[in-house]
Amino acid sequence: DAGVIQSPRHEVTEMGQEVTLRCKPISGHNSLFWYRQTMMRGLELLIYFNNNVPIDDSGMPEDRFSAKMPNASFSTLKIQPSEPRDSAVYFCASSLDLGDRVAEAFFGQGTRLTVV
Amino acid sequence: DAKTTQPNSMESNEEEPVHLPCNHSTISGTDYIHWYRQLPSQGPEYVIHGLTSNVNNRMASLAIAEDRKSSTLILHRATLRDAAVYYCIPNTGNQFYFGTGTSLTVIP
């Protein structure tokens, strides 16, 4: 398997524009996570899906952020409108949750977002 | 989730063992202790996990205190490729909440 695939790897956009980040989890995994990493706040869990259903979105910073998982092989994180403070590296991760609390999470390479 | 305390940074000489400590005094009885690391410009990667007993795998060993309030990740022979930020994450569920971790520098 190619691992978790994120696109684009880099995105530069102007303030106010809509940004969509994409993630393809590892085939067969049933859990998907979106994280954001900045120097100031470290790695933050934004949202967690299980079997394509959002389970915990308490980490989503505000209404400008939304995430969807229309099927088991694709997820998007959308920011509309984007602001300079959204600049960060966004990671997607997936795991196979068998209910035993030890599922290993596999992370993608990340999308570096710069909002100018 | 349990609060963790890790040193901000540590140094090791190449090919020497490294012991990375983590305090998690508020850990619950059902929390597993997971360790992940993040190499420069990469996403985090799994290292090891355990519940009560010490654990070994090809990457590292995990020593868990008898009271489970602390643990130590052991890299038996540090290489330059082990330079990374190491995160200790006690968790009960499937989600991982990362703290600030320990930045390990390996000196040639």
Side-chain angles (χ1 to χ4, degrees):
Chain A
D1 199 311
V4 176
I5 299 172
Q6 293 186 244
S7 63
R9 290 294 309 277
H10 302 273
E11 176 80 37
V12 180
T13 191
E14 292 187 346
M15 182 174 63
Q17 296 298 306
E18 176 181 297
V19 176
T20 299
L21 310 182
R22 296 172 175 78
C23 176
K24 176 177 167 49
I26 291 174
S27 176
H29 282 188
N30 60 357
S31 293
L32 184 138
F33 312 85
W34 282 101
Y35 286 85
R36 176 174 70 176
Q37 186 170 35
T38 60
M39 288 293 292
M40 290 294 292
R41 302 175 67 91
L43 263 167
E44 302 173 276
L45 176 61
L46 300 179
I47 187 168
Y48 155 48
F49 290 88
N50 186 259
N51 293 321
N52 312 337
V53 175
I55 303 300
D56 182 359
D57 65 353
S58 59
M60 295 287 263
E62 48 196 278
D63 291 345
R64 296 184 298 105
F65 286 69
S66 63
K68 293 183 179 180
M69 192 163 186
N71 57 61
S73 58
F74 184 66
S75 177
T76 60
L77 179 67
K78 184 178 294 186
I79 309 172
Q80 165 65 16
S82 57
E83 296 183 4
R85 59 194 169 115
D86 302 329
S87 298
V89 180
Y90 291 80
F91 289 102
C92 176
S94 71
S95 70
L96 176 58
D97 179 13
L98 300 176
D100 56 2
R101 312 193 312 276
V102 296
E104 176 185 344
F106 292 81
F107 284 75
Q109 292 291 327
T111 294
R112 181 174 296 276
L113 173 65
T114 303
V115 183
V116 298
Chain B
D1 291 303
K3 177 179 168 56
T4 61
T5 303
Q6 297 180 253
N8 287 332
S9 62
M10 291 184 65
E11 285 186 353
S12 173
N13 292 320
E14 195 177 8
E15 299 197 2
E16 289 189 356
V18 184
H19 291 231
L20 298 162
C22 180
N23 285 322
H24 31 77
S25 58
T26 61
I27 194 169
S28 77
T30 55
D31 283 353
Y32 280 79
I33 300 158
H34 298 254
W35 283 79
Y36 278 72
R37 72 179 185 180
Q38 187 173 20
L39 303 171
S41 301
Q42 306 264 343
E45 64 177 3
Y46 168 83
V47 178
I48 200 166
H49 74 271
L51 184 61
T52 55
S53 304
N54 295 344
V55 184
N56 300 296
N57 68 18
R58 63 175 179 81
M59 288 181 71
S61 295
L62 177 59
I64 301 172
E66 195 168 335
D67 64 5
R68 297 197 349 109
K69 293 185 177 181
S70 66
S71 62
T72 301
L73 179 70
I74 303 165
L75 306 180
H76 296 286
R77 291 180 68 223
T79 70
L80 296 178
R81 289 172 295 179
D82 291 322
V85 178
Y86 288 78
Y87 298 95
C88 158
I89 310 171
N91 81 318
T92 300
N94 195 28
Q95 298 130 284
F96 295 100
Y97 295 94
F98 288 77
T100 54
T102 297
S103 179
L104 175 66
T105 300
V106 180
I107 302 168

